[in-house]
Amino acid sequence: MSDLTAPSAGNDRGEQSSLSAHEAGTEDDVRDWIALLKPRVMSLVVFTGMIGVVVAPGHLHPILAFTAVLCIAVAAGACGAINMWYDRDIDAVMRRTQSRPIPSGRIAAGGALGFGIVLAVGSVIVMEVAVNLVAAIVLAISIGFYVFIYTMWLKRRTPQNIVIGGAAGAFPPVIGWAAVTGSVDLIPLILFAIVFIWTPPHFWSLALWANEDYRRAGVPMLPVVAGAKETRKQIVLYSLLLVPLSLVPWFLHFSGALYGGTAIVLGIGFLVCVARVYRDKQDEGGNSLTNDAPARAAFKFSILYLFILFAALAVDRLIG
Amino acid sequence: MADFPRPLVGTEADTFRRRRRGRNLAIVLVLAGLSVLFYAITIVKLVQH
């Protein structure tokens, strides 16, 4: 019974009640530790990493392939935990993020950082030992890119944060490919480029309707810095780049008509969605008068787009 | 004067025990899973060589 105690002292960040409860261990739950890993982001990362493994030429034992995908997933989760640790101040003022485990006081910031570091280091070591050095190096670079380049450097400094930081999320197919082949070739770099170019329209669609949150937190997202009108234009421009880029694997005969046809249909759908975002009813500043319904729809469709596009590539390779 | 922690009582203590049990169970499952995974990786590596 001696450990069932709650401290009466708070901390220097004014989190007295929640931190007291946390230190007693009454608040944090397994679900909170899972939430630190950003499972929804992780699912897309795992999927694209898995596609990298599936479409790569060569053979990797299923257990080693599973290990490679697991390492990608754990590394993505580690990035999420470290990101939540670093961004705990802005998470606390954004409506969308203020119920996360750290700002709500259910998990101590230091605990989240330690959790993230252990998972990041562990995933790279296991990748090297079980799979190969190249995959481990690319995995380590992707973690470093997300944590240091995106989270700590770009996110709070430039409206281009998502453009350059998007590279971090584009690494998984390259890692998956490297896990099988032990090298990085043209095709995984094209898959990297597809996710890289897909990220700005995907994220800016979200930023359009979460604009107020980012403004309050002082994060220089494009809609905050350049306005909604410019953001709508940039979404269209990146989407116009994305659609032809998605056809490159077909042009290079890496995939067949199934993928090509799917990419064309999805591309048309994507362009229709972003055209609606561009033509949304708006005031003079470009702010939506429809509660950003087209941007919300474009955000949802962009997730579906990437899932189906990559799934089509894998199916095409498997049956082709 | 030392600032002694306040003892947990009643439902607070029950909640604490339930959550600690949940965390312990999760750690056991993760460790067991890792043990199985590392064993499987070792066997695969041995067979491949």
Side-chain angles (χ1 to χ4, degrees), chain A:
Chain A
M1 287 293 286
S2 63
D3 59 339
L4 298 187
T5 55
S8 56
N11 69 347
D12 59 358
R13 295 183 66 178
E15 296 166 345
Q16 182 155 347
S17 60
S18 55
L19 190 60
S20 298
H22 165 73
E23 284 182 357
T26 58
E27 287 296 315
D28 69 311
D29 191 296
V30 173
R31 281 169 297 186
D32 291 322
W33 293 97
I34 293 172
L36 276 182
L37 306 178
K38 296 191 179 178
R40 277 197 297 184
V41 176
M42 198 198 268
S43 65
L44 199 64
V45 166
V46 166
F47 180 71
T48 55
M50 213 157 57
I51 296 299
V53 171
V54 170
V55 303
H59 174 73
L60 186 64
H61 191 284
I63 287 174
L64 300 184
F66 170 78
T67 306
V69 175
L70 184 68
C71 287
I72 294 171
V74 171
C79 289
I82 297 171
N83 175 273
M84 283 201 206
W85 162 76
Y86 190 80
D87 280 347
R88 62 193 185 281
D89 55 340
I90 55 176
D91 280 353
V93 294
M94 288 173 59
R95 217 176 14 240
R96 191 172 63 86
T97 54
Q98 60 194 190
S99 62
R100 282 178 174 176
I102 301 175
S104 61
R106 296 193 304 276
I107 287 181
L113 175 64
F115 184 54
I117 291 174
V118 167
L119 293 184
V121 173
S123 64
V124 173
I125 291 173
V126 172
M127 185 70 102
E128 200 285 320
V129 172
V131 184
N132 64 55
L133 182 61
V134 176
I137 289 172
V138 183
L139 185 66
I141 291 171
S142 72
I143 295 170
F145 199 94
Y146 187 85
V147 171
F148 299 111
I149 307 288
Y150 171 66
T151 301
M152 296 184 181
W153 182 33
L154 294 174
K155 185 172 177 182
R156 300 181 189 216
R157 282 182 176 78
T158 165
Q160 294 302 308
N161 48 15
I162 282 308
V163 179
I164 306 166
F171 275 105
V174 183
I175 301 166
W177 181 286
V180 178
T181 64
S183 64
V184 176
D185 307 313
L186 178 65
I187 294 297
L189 292 178
I190 291 165
L191 300 182
F192 175 96
I194 289 172
V195 182
F196 181 71
I197 298 295
W198 165 88
T199 304
H202 163 73
F203 210 91
W204 283 333
S205 298
L206 166 75
L208 273 177
W209 46 274
N211 190 11
E212 263 317 302
D213 258 0
Y214 287 117
R215 188 188 307 278
R216 203 166 40 235
V219 178
M221 283 294 171
L222 194 61
V224 176
V225 174
K229 203 167 235 170
E230 178 62 23
T231 306
R232 293 174 200 281
K233 200 169 89 183
Q234 293 290 327
I235 287 174
V236 172
L237 289 176
Y238 274 92
S239 304
L240 288 172
L241 274 177
L242 175 64
V243 174
L245 183 65
S246 69
L247 297 172
V248 173
W250 184 36
F251 294 153
L252 293 177
H253 303 293
F254 178 74
S255 62
L258 173 69
Y259 171 79
T262 308
I264 290 171
V265 172
L266 285 172
I268 292 168
F270 202 94
L271 290 176
V272 168
C273 278
V274 299
R276 285 183 182 147
V277 174
Y278 188 75
R279 293 161 58 99
D280 188 16
K281 282 183 189 162
Q282 49 202 280
D283 62 18
E284 286 174 3
N287 298 306
S288 175
L289 299 174
T290 63
N291 198 23
D292 277 309
R296 290 168 197 266
F299 177 75
K300 282 182 192 161
F301 185 80
S302 67
I303 297 171
L304 195 68
Y305 172 89
L306 201 67
F307 264 113
I308 298 177
L309 187 76
F310 275 57
L313 185 67
V315 171
D316 197 310
R317 289 285 295 172
L318 289 173
I319 63 172

Side-chain angles (χ1 to χ4, degrees), chain B residues 10-21:
Chain B
T11 53
E12 214 177 13
D14 289 342
T15 306
F16 171 78
R17 286 200 196 89
R18 185 167 47 77
R19 288 191 166 144
R20 185 172 60 181
R21 204 163 38 240

Side-chain angles (χ1 to χ4, degrees), chain B residues 2-3 5-6 8-12 15-16 24 27 32 35 38-41 43-45 47 49:
Chain B
D3 191 9
R6 168 179 62 81
L8 294 178
V9 290
T11 53
E12 214 177 13
T15 306
F16 171 78
N24 290 348
I27 291 169
S35 304
F38 291 154
Y39 177 74
I41 290 169
I43 297 297
V44 170
K45 291 275 182 187
V47 170
H49 287 90

